[in-house]
Amino acid sequence: MHDLRRSAGAARASPHNDYPRSTVGVVVITVQVDPELCLESGQCIAAVPTLFGFDGGVVSLLGENPIGPVPVGPADEQRVRQAADRCPAAAIVVGHQD
């Protein structure tokens, strides 16, 4: 599996993820999960229960694409970023929607 934690040109925002921070206007982000890294802490589910869940004991994204990337609207952006920052395994990767 390729390394999902690196995104070209992204500013270092936390020890777990590289992703751009929005500064102006509405930014839609994407989120991916790496089930091979998941430690089942449940931090992501606590932060955004409408987006994250467990599938077979590992984190997945709810909906049609369980590992992503999945677009995230501005209403959930901050909570998704917090979930990524809190993930002890760095299994959640936030990226910029192209």
Side-chain angles (χ1 to χ4, degrees):
M1 176 179 246
H2 67 281
D3 188 354
L4 299 173
R5 291 172 283 162
R6 292 280 170 194
S7 142
R12 188 92 176 135
S14 81
H16 297 288
N17 292 287
D18 289 336
Y19 52 82
R21 295 278 184 184
S22 61
T23 56
V24 178
V26 176
V27 174
V28 175
I29 58 172
T30 61
V31 63
Q32 292 180 268
V33 297
D34 186 338
E36 294 178 20
L37 295 176
C38 181
L39 298 175
E40 303 177 45
S41 73
Q43 295 294 315
C44 55
I45 297 169
V48 195
T50 57
L51 182 63
F52 296 101
F54 281 124
D55 182 18
V58 295
V59 68
S60 68
L61 296 165
L62 303 176
E64 294 181 21
N65 192 353
I67 62 169
V70 172
V72 175
D76 290 326
E77 178 181 6
Q78 183 176 2
R79 292 185 308 145
V80 169
R81 290 185 188 281
Q82 288 173 347
D85 287 341
R86 292 177 183 164
C87 180
I92 301 168
V93 181
V94 177
H96 197 280
Q97 178 70 29
D98 294 329

